[in-house]
Amino acid sequence: MKRLIQHLFMWAVMAAGTGVVASCDMMEQDLTDCPNGLYVSFKYDYNLQRADMFNDHVGSVTLYIFDEDGNLVKTQEESNVGASMPLSSPGYAMHVTGLAPGRYQFIALAGQRPYGDMMQTGRAKFVRSDISAGAPMQGIEINLDKGGVVAGPDGANYYSVDNNSLPLDTLWHGMLTEPVEVYPVNSNRAAYATVPLVRDTKHINVALREVDDPTTMDIADYDMYITDHNSRILWDNSLDETDPVIYTPYATWNTDDRGNALDPNGDVLDGVGRIGHADFMTSRIMFHDDAEKDGHLYIVNNKTGRKVVDFNLPDVLSRLRTSDELHAYSEQEFLDRGYDYQITVFLRGGELQYINISISVLGWTKRIQFNEL
């Protein structure tokens, strides 16, 4: 014990002599480097990988700060721009200062680049409501650009989503409504909060194959559509499903197989097999108890006018959820966690035979026969 006391005394004398004794909790010290105000972190682990991918995926975040009554106090945006990549740092937290002592709630909207940059592109845009200080949090909403009214393949009318051959900007939504206490400046205490994010935009790749004669496939012979009611996202990430919208692919192309095509009997055909491809991006996909409210995928042969594919999109995609044996996802949780789907459609003589659905990141695949749909 005597030796321990001697060591502690010597350390204290040496530290005092070099001026390294400093604590944010001690009186009469220089506190300029002490944490103060509010530090808000963000996480994006609500995905099928169950990994926090915020630093890798998100390039810009806008934080809406509300008082305990839900009225807007302040908005702050931070982004990766050029060589400055603050959001890429594993220890990133947005530092908010100037808040009066009190309890605060948060809504976050995030993307891969600054919101102002997203508004300058030719693609369909997720336009945020313009709210000012004092406005209630319920005033926040995001509206996807809609064009004119067009007839869908089912005969109903829809607002078109005009993508101008460009994918949608990625959109994340986050909310923390459990109030966080912010302390007075002279208390030398910082406040900390973490806002979880959910990705609302979905990428869907559709591949089209012909079984009888794979050499005849040409994506130009088919028109593809996704219909839904998901263009208006509300403050709590729920949807106002009033307006019906129709999406078309932002990109289509053909690819060739590496070897000669085979017919259903395994006989070699002249030429190589071809695969037609189409890429979609949509807003949040919802699974409803009433299947009539669900979105649909349609594929139409534009030479014959025949509708060769018509199926319930959230129902088909969510059938992959049973591939994860460790986690029992509901249909909606699976759709919210997933964001990059592949659907391969197999036709035979122009008629739908079966589909494969998959998620490439995890290697999950499920085959669905036409008579199941």
Side-chain angles (χ1 to χ4, degrees):
M1 178 64 69
K2 181 177 180 181
R3 184 181 296 273
L4 175 60
I5 293 173
Q6 289 175 338
H7 280 300
L8 291 174
F9 177 78
M10 291 177 62
W11 179 88
V13 171
M14 292 173 61
T18 56
V20 300
V21 173
S23 170
C24 296
D25 298 324
M26 295 179 67
M27 299 295 291
E28 299 180 358
Q29 297 292 331
D30 181 2
L31 303 177
T32 56
D33 293 330
C34 295
N36 62 88
L38 170 67
Y39 294 85
V40 181
S41 301
F42 305 88
K43 65 177 181 179
Y44 170 47
D45 60 0
Y46 200 76
N47 48 59
L48 294 175
Q49 295 91 324
R50 304 181 71 88
D52 187 356
M53 299 189 292
F54 174 83
N55 302 120
D56 294 325
H57 285 212
V58 180
S60 179
V61 62
T62 303
L63 183 67
Y64 297 84
I65 304 167
F66 301 87
D67 62 22
E68 191 171 12
D69 296 323
N71 299 314
L72 183 65
V73 174
K74 185 174 183 177
T75 303
Q76 186 165 318
E77 180 182 68
E78 290 185 0
S79 309
N80 295 333
V81 179
S84 176
M85 305 281 285
L87 276 65
S88 298
S89 171
Y92 169 75
M94 182 183 290
H95 187 199
V96 182
T97 59
L99 295 177
R103 292 159 62 83
Y104 294 90
Q105 308 172 69
F106 312 99
I107 291 177
L109 300 177
Q112 291 175 316
R113 52 194 177 139
Y115 178 65
D117 291 353
M118 291 189 282
M119 292 297 100
Q120 301 303 313
T121 66
R123 71 193 72 207
K125 304 171 182 65
F126 285 101
V127 181
R128 305 173 186 177
S129 57
D130 185 12
I131 66 171
S132 55
M137 64 171 54
Q138 291 79 5
I140 286 186
E141 62 179 58
I142 307 102
N143 286 281
L144 179 59
D145 280 342
K146 295 187 290 292
V149 176
V150 298
D154 57 348
N157 290 328
Y158 297 89
Y159 291 100
S160 62
V161 177
D162 301 325
N163 56 49
N164 295 318
S165 300
L166 294 168
L168 298 178
D169 280 303
T170 308
L171 172 67
W172 286 269
H173 176 281
M175 184 168 60
L176 185 63
T177 55
E178 181 178 348
V180 174
E181 184 79 26
V182 173
Y183 307 102
V185 175
N186 59 7
S187 70
N188 304 323
R189 295 179 64 188
Y192 300 88
T194 299
V195 178
L197 300 177
V198 177
R199 175 168 167 162
D200 281 344
T201 42
K202 309 300 175 183
H203 171 255
I204 301 170
N205 172 261
V206 180
L208 198 57
R209 306 203 66 154
E210 171 59 52
V211 175
D212 276 350
D213 186 352
T215 66
T216 63
M217 174 53 62
D218 187 349
I219 195 65
D221 294 338
Y222 297 89
D223 296 324
M224 299 190 187
Y225 310 90
I226 291 176
T227 61
D228 216 322
H229 297 74
N230 56 0
S231 64
R232 186 182 180 201
I233 303 172
L234 303 180
W235 67 280
D236 59 354
N237 210 33
S238 63
L239 298 181
D240 178 335
E241 300 183 271
T242 303
D243 293 337
V245 292
I246 189 165
Y247 300 87
T248 53
Y250 67 86
T252 58
W253 69 101
N254 293 306
T255 59
D256 293 337
D257 289 330
R258 293 177 63 87
N260 282 77
L262 303 176
D263 68 14
N265 297 320
D267 296 326
V268 177
L269 300 173
D270 291 333
V272 296
R274 304 182 77 193
I275 310 169
H277 301 270
D279 270 345
F280 289 89
M281 279 196 76
T282 79
S283 182
R284 188 182 182 200
I285 296 175
M286 302 293 292
F287 184 96
H288 301 86
D289 292 334
D290 181 358
E292 294 296 322
K293 298 180 179 180
D294 287 346
H296 274 248
L297 172 67
Y298 297 96
I299 302 178
V300 178
N301 185 317
N302 57 41
K303 288 185 174 180
T304 65
R306 183 175 177 78
K307 187 166 53 180
V308 297
V309 169
D310 171 5
F311 59 70
N312 182 308
L313 185 62
D315 174 56
V316 166
L317 295 180
S318 63
R319 295 194 191 193
L320 269 174
R321 66 195 177 96
T322 57
S323 299
D324 186 352
E325 298 178 353
L326 297 178
H327 305 97
Y329 297 123
S330 68
E331 289 89 350
Q332 191 57 55
E333 181 177 358
F334 180 84
L335 292 171
D336 284 336
R337 284 181 176 272
Y339 58 84
D340 192 4
Y341 299 95
Q342 292 82 43
I343 303 174
T344 303
V345 177
F346 292 86
L347 305 177
R348 186 166 188 177
E351 299 294 331
L352 177 62
Q353 292 296 293
Y354 63 94
I355 63 174
N356 282 341
I357 51 174
S358 60
I359 296 179
S360 60
V361 172
L362 299 175
W364 297 352
T365 301
K366 185 176 181 66
R367 172 169 166 164
I368 304 175
Q369 291 294 136
F370 174 61
N371 57 15
E372 293 182 36
L373 297 175

